[in-house]
Amino acid sequence: GAVVSQHPSRVICKSGTSVKIECRSLDFQATTMFWYRQFPKQSLMLMATSNEGSKATYEQGVEKDKFLINHASLTLSTLTVTSAHPEDSSFYICSARVSSFYGYTFGSGTRLTVV
Amino acid sequence: GENVEQHPSTLSVQEGDSAVIKCTYSDSASNYFPWYKQELGKGPQLIIDIRSNVGEKKDQRIAVTLNKTAKHFSLHITETQPEDSAVYFCAASKSSNQFYFGTGTSLTVIP
């Protein structure tokens, strides 16, 4: 089945630094990928929609300059948290729509801790 | 936009009993309803889904029912096992770029 590989699974960084999270579709081409943020014991909140070869579409309230999304190929989307602060600590999850099907496959998530 | 409500937020059942989680949605145009299981520290995994042209779907111990008129759908897990313990999310979608999650149900199966 369709697999989305997300790395790293855990990352700890210092305040003010930037962190890049990668999301790869391993056995299918993903023209659209989605980035979610999840706080403890809460649901997934859509941050942005990443479209291959074009700019990402951000949800209201999400800072474009802080959460940089790049979808340069049909199998890779990256989320870069710039100038990270402790309040950016969260669980970030990517997902991809399997072509011609409504089903979504999720990555395994990245636990970001900013100290 | 779409509003998906999910109940209960927590559910404890004895091993072997059934568990039922219910979701309602607001947008009658939604036509795809997946259910996801999320274990601690992991991403959600699709366990079953249903489309609006079907009223019920079953896969072994898991079943989903959909009532389009009432705009609600439910997840049924029979013969629960400890490994079923996880957080379950329902979702509703009417296009590939509009995907709304419920608030989640933490299921605990007591051995």
Side-chain angles (χ1 to χ4, degrees):
Chain A
V3 176
V4 170
S5 176
Q6 184 173 345
H7 294 280
S9 58
R10 291 177 181 270
V11 58
I12 301 173
C13 70
K14 293 183 178 180
S15 289
T17 62
S18 295
V19 174
K20 180 183 285 188
I21 302 170
E22 292 190 350
C23 184
R24 293 179 184 272
S25 58
L26 296 186
D27 48 5
F28 67 101
Q29 293 183 334
T31 55
T32 304
M33 290 189 178
F34 305 88
W35 288 94
Y36 293 86
R37 183 174 182 176
Q38 186 178 34
F39 292 103
K41 297 185 178 181
Q42 294 190 21
S43 189
L44 289 80
M45 294 176 54
L46 180 64
M47 298 175 64
T49 301
S50 169
N51 301 297
E52 186 268 336
S54 64
K55 292 183 179 180
T57 304
Y58 290 81
E59 295 298 301
Q60 190 173 7
V62 178
E63 298 178 59
K64 301 179 182 181
D65 295 333
K66 182 166 190 61
F67 299 99
L68 300 179
I69 291 173
N70 184 279
H71 195 157
S73 78
L74 287 170
T75 60
L76 175 64
S77 177
T78 61
L79 167 67
T80 301
V81 182
T82 63
S83 187
H85 292 286
E87 56 264 32
D88 298 326
S89 299
S90 190
F91 193 56
Y92 293 88
I93 309 171
C94 66
S95 75
R97 181 175 69 90
V98 180
S99 181
S100 72
F101 179 63
Y102 273 173
Y104 290 79
T105 296
F106 284 83
S108 54
T110 298
R111 171 70 60 192
L112 171 63
T113 303
V114 184
V115 297
Chain B
E2 174 69 279
N3 180 42
V4 178
E5 296 188 355
Q6 183 172 345
H7 300 281
S9 57
T10 60
L11 178 60
S12 292
V13 299
Q14 290 291 138
E15 182 177 359
D17 289 348
S18 296
V20 180
I21 303 170
K22 298 181 179 181
C23 286
T24 61
Y25 60 98
S26 59
D27 191 340
S28 57
S30 291
N31 56 10
Y32 176 65
F33 308 92
W35 284 90
Y36 289 87
K37 175 183 180 181
Q38 186 178 26
E39 298 178 341
L40 190 63
K42 298 182 178 180
Q45 297 292 315
L46 178 68
I47 55 172
I48 196 167
D49 58 12
I50 192 167
R51 288 178 172 76
S52 59
N53 59 345
V54 176
E56 183 175 357
K57 184 177 179 180
K58 188 174 182 179
D59 182 4
Q60 299 183 337
R61 296 186 297 109
I62 297 173
V64 57
T65 58
L66 171 66
N67 183 327
K68 287 193 298 180
T69 303
K71 294 203 282 291
H72 67 70
F73 56 111
S74 301
L75 176 71
H76 304 254
I77 306 175
T78 58
E79 301 173 28
T80 53
Q81 302 167 2
E83 49 266 38
D84 294 330
S85 297
V87 178
Y88 291 81
F89 291 99
C90 63
S93 173
K94 62 180 179 182
S95 75
S96 60
N97 287 350
Q98 292 177 315
F99 198 55
Y100 300 90
F101 283 92
T103 48
T105 296
S106 178
L107 173 64
T108 302
V109 180
I110 303 167

